[in-house]
Amino acid sequence: MNQEFELIAKTFQGLEEVLAQELTELGASNIEIGRRMVSFTGDKAMMYKANFHLRTAIRILKPIKHFTAKTADEVYDAVKSIAWEEYLDNMSSFAVDAVVFSNEFRHSKFVAYKVKDAIVDYFREKTGNRPSVRISNPDLSINIHVAEDRCTLSLDSSGESLHRRGYRQEQVEAPLNEVLAAGMILMTGWRGKCDLIDPMCGSGTIPVEAALIARNIAPGVFRKEFGFEKWKDYDQELFDSIYNDDSQEREFTHKIYGYDNNPKANEIAIHNVKAAGVSKDVVLRIQPFQQFEQPKEKSIIITNPPYGERISSEDLLGLYRMIGERLKHAFSGNDAWILSYRDECFDQIGLKPSVKIPLFNGALECQFRKYQLFDGKYKAFRSENSDKEFKPKREEREARPRRRSEKVTYKDSRKPSFKGSRSNASSRPSTDDGRPKQAPAPRYMHSRKKNDDNRSER
């Protein structure tokens, strides 16, 4: 009844370890880290929980067949051999997404067409009728991943990408992806034990994700639907129990501050914060970074300034000089984390980072850097904190006891290198598959609760 099966959580490059930690805390088994993905095992409840609770996953795939193929005909035959009536019928709709890294198959669309043809022919021969292909909102989303001649065919249990939480009502130009924002916050180790500040918050993605993390509110609570809700074996009672369980949510006694010098961005952020139901935790103000003052309480800054790619700045280097000046004079005794793209921008900050983490923001190869702002002179700070490590390196995470059933290995230890500016970067926001798409329409959360308790008003 509670049979476990293989699952794959897709993510952005650089967030694999954070995602593996999330899966460990969720109770998944046999966790293995790969490139832009983490594989694990679990039952149906775990698959539902992964979609509902994971903050750094883009989508959750359920593999149904692994095979090798060197020709399109071999792909066709392998797919056609599956008993497809277990997953859909000839009255259903489906879509196929292909991800191909192979010298044998040069075009992902061609692979997708062969998978589609195999499924259509399977039903046509068995029933005389065929299911329809629908790109938008299909009954079943199918994913095929090809690495040279190794193929994995999976069912996509998420449907629409999990970064589309559902609370974002509007967005500014080049908004920060929700999954990346959550990953950045989790990387810092912040869990709501002090104030958090984003002095360039745009449409409010970092403040909203921080509030959800601080209160441990599941990011899936705002989603209209998940792909698995259309599956033949969907267990509504099981998912309702997961959706309505708020026992792990917690109190948050500090504040999250979001500033921006753009009135329109501030207005959009207010709408998004309200839609996420975290207005009492997030304080939004129109204020340029030049006016940033020393916070009264212990705080952490997490921010994503303009890079000069999608958002222009009259004096980009001057902007980063100002950031460094404000941090030095108005944020002493605290830590600041900054995501940016260009070496020359980081150089203008004029501070030595204690941590550098490679991350991708869409197609841009960025770095997420930590700056420790200390009181007084640096030598005095070093002598008072002689037991700490100050060399620029990735922070060590506290060792965790593992369950007997848990296995964590590393399939790919390669780390992305940090490079200089690129002039051919995409000019539009990127999605999880790297292809530009239009901004999502407003989403609304489930209304499963039988009583009058509405999460969005808490």
Side-chain angles (χ1 to χ4, degrees):
M1 183 176 180
N2 295 319
Q3 182 179 5
E4 290 201 349
F5 44 83
E6 179 186 3
L7 290 161
I8 295 173
K10 302 287 290 183
T11 190
F12 294 121
Q13 188 167 329
L15 298 184
E16 297 92 343
E17 290 184 16
V18 181
L19 177 55
Q21 175 67 25
E22 282 198 276
L23 283 164
T24 299
E25 295 172 358
L26 201 59
S29 303
N30 303 310
I31 300 167
E32 296 185 3
I33 297 176
R35 189 178 177 87
R36 297 194 296 273
M37 55 81 73
V38 178
S39 65
F40 61 103
T41 59
D43 56 12
K44 187 182 294 186
M46 177 55 63
M47 183 179 71
Y48 291 176
K49 288 178 182 178
N51 277 283
F52 190 67
H53 287 284
L54 293 178
R55 303 180 191 279
T56 56
I58 297 169
R59 58 184 68 255
I60 309 299
L61 304 178
K62 179 184 179 182
I64 58 174
K65 190 177 182 66
H66 297 276
F67 60 95
T68 58
K70 293 185 177 180
T71 68
D73 288 340
E74 290 179 353
V75 171
Y76 175 92
D77 292 339
V79 174
K80 194 177 178 184
S81 68
I82 297 172
W84 284 104
E85 62 270 10
E86 295 180 11
Y87 309 109
L88 72 164
D89 54 45
N90 56 15
M91 301 301 292
S92 303
S93 62
F94 72 97
V96 180
D97 180 52
V99 180
V100 178
F101 303 96
S102 173
N103 290 322
E104 304 292 340
F105 306 96
R106 299 300 179 89
H107 302 289
S108 59
K109 285 186 178 181
F110 178 67
V111 175
Y113 285 143
K114 297 305 289 187
V115 173
K116 179 207 65 145
D117 289 344
I119 297 172
V120 167
D121 292 347
Y122 176 91
F123 280 100
R124 184 182 284 122
E125 292 175 10
K126 288 231 174 200
T127 68
N129 206 340
R130 50 158 288 180
S132 61
V133 177
R134 183 189 301 165
I135 302 300
S136 176
N137 198 28
D139 295 320
L140 185 70
S141 296
I142 300 166
N143 177 278
I144 182 166
H145 184 278
V146 181
E148 296 305 334
D149 63 345
R150 301 185 305 278
C151 307
T152 301
L153 191 73
S154 305
L155 306 182
D156 183 350
S157 69
S158 303
E160 190 174 38
S161 174
L162 295 176
H163 84 272
R164 300 183 187 277
R165 309 289 204 221
Y167 63 74
R168 180 175 276 174
Q169 304 297 296
E170 297 179 74
Q171 62 188 36
V172 295
E173 184 183 359
L176 189 65
N177 183 288
E178 294 89 333
V179 163
L180 180 58
M184 290 163 54
I185 296 165
L186 294 175
M187 278 182 173
T188 70
W190 186 85
R191 298 296 185 274
K193 298 300 183 182
C194 68
D195 289 353
L196 185 145
I197 301 169
D198 182 356
M200 300 180 179
C201 72
S203 57
T205 305
I206 289 177
V208 170
E209 291 294 325
L212 298 181
I213 289 171
R215 291 198 173 274
N216 203 28
I217 297 173
V221 75
F222 309 101
R223 294 261 298 195
K224 185 177 181 180
E225 65 179 4
F226 295 90
F228 61 75
E229 293 183 74
K230 297 180 180 180
W231 289 10
K232 280 191 167 187
D233 65 347
Y234 172 55
D235 188 333
Q236 182 172 341
E237 184 177 352
L238 174 62
F239 183 52
D240 283 351
S241 67
I242 293 170
Y243 180 88
N244 290 323
D245 180 13
D246 57 5
S247 61
Q248 298 302 309
E249 294 181 13
R250 55 182 176 246
E251 290 298 314
F252 175 52
T253 57
H254 297 279
K255 286 292 183 183
I256 297 164
Y257 297 92
Y259 305 118
D260 204 279
N261 63 356
N262 186 331
K264 179 60 177 177
N266 177 262
E267 181 182 347
I268 291 173
I270 290 173
H271 291 161
N272 292 338
V273 166
K274 185 176 181 180
V278 293
S279 296
K280 68 178 183 179
D281 302 316
V282 178
V283 177
L284 298 172
R285 293 175 183 160
I286 301 173
Q287 176 181 298
F289 205 163
Q290 290 90 330
Q291 297 176 10
F292 183 78
E293 297 179 353
Q294 181 76 30
K296 297 179 180 179
E297 305 291 337
K298 177 72 176 177
S299 305
I300 183 174
I301 281 179
I302 303 176
T303 193
N304 174 42
Y307 307 157
E309 286 291 333
R310 298 171 185 164
I311 300 177
S312 61
S313 174
E314 294 180 2
D315 185 3
L316 189 65
L317 298 183
L319 170 66
Y320 280 81
R321 282 196 297 272
M322 179 273 295
I323 291 174
E325 185 274 332
R326 282 290 84 200
L327 292 179
K328 283 183 283 188
H329 293 93
F331 204 58
S332 59
N334 298 299
D335 296 337
W337 290 77
I338 298 175
L339 180 73
S340 193
Y341 171 43
R342 301 178 184 274
D343 266 329
E344 56 266 37
C345 291
F346 278 123
D347 291 343
Q348 295 301 315
I349 292 176
L351 297 169
K352 187 176 182 180
S354 57
V355 178
K356 299 178 182 179
I357 302 176
L359 285 178
F360 277 81
N361 186 1
L364 300 180
E365 192 173 359
C366 300
Q367 274 196 7
F368 191 38
R369 296 189 179 186
K370 177 183 179 181
Y371 297 93
Q372 294 176 284
L373 290 307
F374 49 88
D375 293 304
K377 295 184 178 180
Y378 182 65
K379 287 184 179 179
F381 179 72
R382 286 291 303 268
S383 63
E384 293 173 4
N385 297 271
S386 58
D387 59 327
K388 296 182 180 180
E389 176 63 66
F390 292 92
K391 293 181 181 179
K393 69 172 191 176
R394 191 163 189 160
E395 284 191 318
E396 295 181 0
R397 291 176 172 78
E398 184 179 349
R400 298 176 286 104
R402 298 196 184 282
R403 299 180 305 282
R404 292 182 180 178
S405 62
E406 183 183 15
K407 174 185 176 186
V408 176
T409 59
Y410 293 78
K411 290 181 179 177
D412 193 337
S413 60
R414 291 174 294 174
K415 302 293 183 184
S417 60
F418 186 62
K419 299 179 181 179
S421 61
R422 298 187 301 193
S423 59
N424 59 346
S426 172
S427 61
R428 289 183 287 170
S430 295
T431 60
D432 56 281
D433 58 5
R435 291 172 290 186
K437 296 181 181 179
Q438 294 182 344
R443 284 296 207 177
Y444 304 96
M445 58 179 228
H446 287 268
S447 56
R448 284 195 168 85
K449 286 228 171 185
K450 302 296 189 297
N451 54 33
D452 294 329
D453 178 22
N454 189 324
R455 287 175 181 266
S456 66
E457 297 177 356
R458 283 185 299 182

